Amino acid sequence: PVRRIHARQVLDSRGNPTVEVEVTAGEGIVGIHGYTARAIVPSGASTGRFEAVELRDGEKGKYLGLSVEKAVNNVNTKLAEAIVGENALDQMNIDRLLAEADGTDNKSSIGANAVLGVSLAVARAAAEGLRIPLYQYLGGCHTRKLPVPMMNILNGGRHADNTVDLQEFMIMPVGAEDFSEGIRMCVEIYQFLKIILKEKNLSTAVGDEGGFAPDLEDSRDALALIIQAVERAGYEPGKQIAIAIDAAASELYEEEKGVYYFPGESKMKGKDVFRDSSEMIEYYEGLLEEFPVVSLEDGLEEDDWEGWKKLTERLGDKIQLVGDDLFVTNKKRLTCGIRLQAANAVLVKVNQIGTLTEAMDTVRLAQENGYRAVISHRSGETEDSFIADLAVATGAGQIKTGAPCRSDRNAKYNQLLRIAEQLGENGEYQNPFKGFSEET
Ligand code: PGA
Ligand code: ZN
């Protein structure tokens, strides 16, 4: 059973406080027959409006209002009370009790950050107790599918202070033989991108997810630079390397006017650039014609179901359309999307929903309905590599965890390299877009 739970406040990759939870489970006397495991909770910047609630103290004089002492305290009191003595191997029951202790739909009373820390740490302690790897504990002993990384090597939007309006430009090594070769290809491209930026006297400083964040004219510029880097590294764009974009369009959307405003492009062009929903779709179609883009996340804002339907009608049979802020890892919202045929994939961020069971249920719902699932980090991350194991466990086939730079991002890639080594010949690595477009 769960014997002891303890939370503390630690720091994330942006230097903001977050919740760390330690769980001891097992028989006998704690410390002798117990298994202790830890988990640290991540945090977003371009957070969706429908996400589970991250509890912050809002105390002005402390960490600019961002301390999480209330959430920490909730773990040490209410959540400990709810699950100490319960079977650590029954994750579903643990997560149900955690959700019940909170009692709200969006985990706003105890805080999704408090709940998630416990949920993840219990799963880890259980795997430790059974002495099996976390990915096997979560996915079963036949788990062997490694994800194709979506490496965000050029950052914009809310993740950087540059003029790039779309948030993420990612490379996907779809033509790699195996996971470790995929990592090598991405790293080489990343390093060549740095060389190219230097040659052009552009900034090589990085954004929140470790990708470069130079001031560029517009998205075409960003994509053209990435293609150059792919070629300089000796790879064929569209064959070995595919491109994915996260527009994070909710961040560009202006509710009152009902249009998307591109601040960076406006600044560079010296005139205001607005696009409405259908112009956004045309804009993406233009990018698809020019560049080997296979995946587009949050192309439209989080509540424009009609727009999403149109976007999916137009592009859904050509590329992957991922709902992040649209679905927020929430089964109800995904169900709605499936019914309306909005998007064809879901981004899965454990802290958007607050428990491991709910996140895994969302993946299953997607997979049963022909939607792909992409396991994802947050822009505020830590050394915790839980999502690496989760990506393998769910067989999602894709993981989004930033550039191969900064240890908060590489913690996940390094864990996947360990898992790949452990799986050896049994490991599977597949292009998730086979049959989608001829090119990739
Ligand atoms: P966030 O960004 O973690 O800042 O929300 C990641 C994303 O939009 O995918
Ligand atoms: Zn996103």
Side-chain angles (χ1 to χ4, degrees):
V2 175
R3 305 185 60 84
R4 177 178 172 270
I5 293 184
H6 176 70
R8 64 174 68 86
Q9 180 171 283
V10 296
L11 299 176
D12 74 12
S13 58
R14 273 193 283 253
N16 293 327
T18 189
V19 179
E20 172 172 88
V21 178
E22 240 164 54
V23 167
T24 304
E27 303 304 326
I29 303 159
V30 174
I32 298 181
H33 301 291
Y35 311 102
T36 299
R38 275 202 291 263
I40 317 180
V41 177
S43 172
S46 64
T47 318
R49 198 155 27 109
F50 305 102
E51 292 192 20
V53 175
E54 182 180 78
L55 194 64
R56 299 251 176 216
D57 300 333
E59 230 183 293
K60 277 271 147 33
K62 263 188 192 168
Y63 287 108
L64 293 86
L66 296 179
S67 61
V68 291
E69 285 166 21
K70 281 183 201 148
V72 163
N73 194 43
N74 286 343
V75 173
N76 292 336
T77 56
K78 293 178 191 156
L79 296 184
E81 214 168 276
I83 68 156
V84 167
E86 295 292 327
N87 183 1
L89 297 172
D90 189 349
Q91 186 72 33
M92 256 162 68
N93 181 52
I94 295 281
D95 287 340
R96 188 179 52 79
L97 292 170
L98 293 173
E100 273 173 21
D102 175 85
T104 67
D105 261 357
N106 57 1
K107 318 256 181 336
S108 56
S109 92
I110 279 178
N113 43 352
V115 172
L116 181 69
V118 178
S119 179
L120 299 183
V122 168
R124 256 213 190 105
E128 294 266 317
L130 295 173
R131 298 182 198 287
I132 55 175
L134 181 58
Y135 67 92
Q136 265 177 20
Y137 173 64
L138 299 175
C141 54
H142 297 298
T143 308
R144 59 208 195 130
K145 191 164 172 188
L146 287 147
V148 174
M150 296 176 129
M151 285 210 189
N152 178 13
I153 61 170
L154 206 149
N155 295 185
R158 286 286 283 269
H159 294 165
D161 287 328
N162 57 350
T163 61
V164 176
D165 295 313
L166 303 190
Q167 183 178 278
E168 303 173 16
F169 294 86
M170 297 167 275
I171 48 173
M172 298 184 72
V174 292
E177 277 297 308
D178 56 27
F179 180 78
S180 69
E181 188 184 60
I183 292 289
R184 177 171 62 78
M185 290 162 74
C186 289
V187 167
E188 290 164 1
I189 293 162
Y190 181 78
Q191 304 300 357
F192 273 106
L193 180 57
K194 185 170 186 174
I195 292 169
I196 293 168
L197 291 172
K198 269 195 185 152
E199 286 169 0
K200 295 185 187 293
N201 278 324
L202 290 163
S203 167
T204 57
V206 299
D208 285 355
E209 298 188 350
F212 300 111
D215 278 344
L216 301 174
E217 201 59 40
D218 57 21
S219 305
R220 281 195 165 74
D221 249 24
L223 290 164
L225 281 169
I226 288 174
I227 296 297
Q228 275 182 46
V230 171
E231 286 169 346
R232 280 276 281 275
Y235 301 112
E236 204 178 323
K239 264 222 145 60
Q240 287 164 294
I241 298 290
I243 291 182
I245 293 174
D246 179 4
S250 297
E251 301 296 323
L252 305 174
Y253 190 63
E254 296 198 345
E255 188 96 55
E256 325 76 64
K257 296 190 188 129
V259 291
Y260 299 83
Y261 178 58
F262 285 61
E265 203 178 322
S266 301
K267 186 174 162 196
M268 298 305 268
K269 292 188 172 150
K271 60 167 200 267
D272 281 344
V273 179
F274 291 100
R275 294 184 173 93
D276 66 19
S277 191
S278 56
E279 285 166 339
M280 288 293 273
I281 297 175
E282 282 163 29
Y283 175 69
Y284 297 129
E285 280 182 320
L287 296 181
L288 295 191
E289 268 168 36
E290 244 179 281
F291 302 98
V293 176
V294 293
S295 178
L296 171 65
E297 178 180 330
D298 281 356
L300 294 172
E301 64 104 16
E302 58 207 340
D303 229 5
D304 183 10
W305 291 103
E306 276 307 305
W308 270 95
K309 261 180 70 175
K310 277 192 204 117
L311 177 68
T312 311
E313 269 164 33
R314 287 276 278 275
L315 299 178
D317 56 353
K318 293 197 190 92
I319 61 166
Q320 172 172 268
L321 296 167
V322 187
D324 170 11
D325 290 352
L326 179 71
F327 295 140
V328 291
T329 315
N330 185 314
K331 255 173 96 171
K332 278 192 199 141
R333 289 188 67 89
L334 179 59
T335 302
C336 192
I338 291 166
R339 211 176 44 228
L340 291 172
Q341 294 189 307
N344 55 28
V346 59
L347 200 75
V348 174
K349 291 166 164 170
V350 280
N351 80 325
Q352 280 183 330
I353 193 70
T355 65
L356 181 58
T357 302
E358 286 168 288
M360 291 182 76
D361 278 354
T362 299
V363 175
R364 204 165 307 122
L365 177 68
Q367 289 169 339
E368 284 168 3
N369 287 279
Y371 274 49
R372 291 175 174 76
V374 179
I375 306 299
S376 172
H377 65 163
R378 299 307 304 245
S379 52
E381 268 294 335
T382 70
E383 66 270 34
D384 192 308
S385 60
F386 198 105
I387 60 163
D389 285 75
L390 182 62
V392 179
T394 54
Q398 299 177 72
I399 189 168
K400 201 174 101 149
T401 189
C405 171
R406 303 297 174 205
S407 286
D408 37 296
R409 312 299 143 181
N410 283 339
K412 284 69 165 176
Y413 294 126
N414 290 342
Q415 174 66 1
L416 284 164
L417 287 168
R418 288 176 205 115
I419 296 174
E421 183 187 69
Q422 205 170 67
L423 288 171
E425 288 289 293
N426 291 325
E428 256 174 36
Y429 181 88
Q430 283 163 12
N431 177 356
F433 306 117
K434 272 226 172 88
F436 226 167
S437 82
E438 288 307 306
E439 278 276 81
T440 50

